Amino acid sequence: MPRFMSLIRIDEQNISSQAPDPDFEKRMGALFEEITKAGVMLDTAGLTPTSQGTRLTWSGGKISHTDGPFTETKEVVGGYALLQVKDKAEALEWTRRFLEAHPEHWDVTAEVRQVEGGPSDPS
C-alpha cells in the first residue's frame, strides 16, 4: 500500500493564545485510536518551534547554517503524520478528519504528499 506524508503547516508567529476547547484532547485521542486500530497511522508527531531549529543550505558547493527562528517564513511545518493507505483519497479523508478535530479558531493547514518508492509506487 502506498504511504503518504501529511505535513501540518502552522503560522508560528500568529498562534492563537486562546486555549483549545475542553473536548479537543478527547476528539484527537478518539481519532488517533481509530486511525491506529485501522492500521493506517505509521507515525505522527509535532515538531519543536523553529526557534530551536537550524537550517542547512547547500549552495555554490558550500554548506551554510542558519539558526531559528526563521522570521522570514510565515508558515512552518509544525508536525507530520505518516499514513499507509490504499490511495490518495483515503489519505485526504484521514487528514480532513484530523484538521476537523482542531478548534474552529485555530488556523492549521495540511499538505498531503505521497512518499516515493516502495512496492506499490507506480512511478
Side-chain angles (χ1 to χ4, degrees):
M1 274 205 271
R3 295 174 296 156
F4 288 84
M5 178 69 76
S6 177
L7 301 167
I8 309 304
R9 296 186 175 276
I10 59 170
D11 181 349
E12 196 172 54
Q13 298 171 9
N14 292 309
I15 292 176
S16 175
S17 59
Q18 191 176 0
D21 60 86
D23 289 335
F24 172 62
E25 294 290 330
K26 187 176 175 181
R27 289 191 309 272
M28 199 59 76
L31 178 62
F32 280 10
E33 183 177 332
E34 181 182 350
I35 198 170
T36 300
K37 283 183 179 175
V40 168
M41 179 73 75
L42 299 179
D43 192 22
T44 187
L47 300 176
T48 59
T50 61
S51 61
Q52 299 173 30
T54 301
R55 284 187 180 157
L56 283 77
T57 302
W58 173 254
S59 179
K62 295 182 181 177
I63 291 282
S64 62
H65 302 246
T66 305
D67 290 330
F70 311 116
T71 55
E72 74 281 1
T73 305
K74 183 173 179 180
E75 284 189 341
V76 299
V77 176
Y80 69 91
L82 182 59
L83 310 173
Q84 187 165 11
V85 292
K86 67 180 182 219
D87 56 24
K88 184 176 181 180
E90 185 179 0
L92 292 172
E93 174 62 17
W94 282 111
T95 302
R96 180 191 62 77
R97 292 181 59 192
F98 171 78
L99 291 176
E100 288 177 346
H102 287 77
E104 290 183 12
H105 63 277
W106 285 18
D107 293 326
V108 183
T109 301
E111 178 180 328
V112 177
R113 296 170 59 184
Q114 186 168 357
V115 177
E116 285 189 323
S120 59
D121 185 0
S123 58

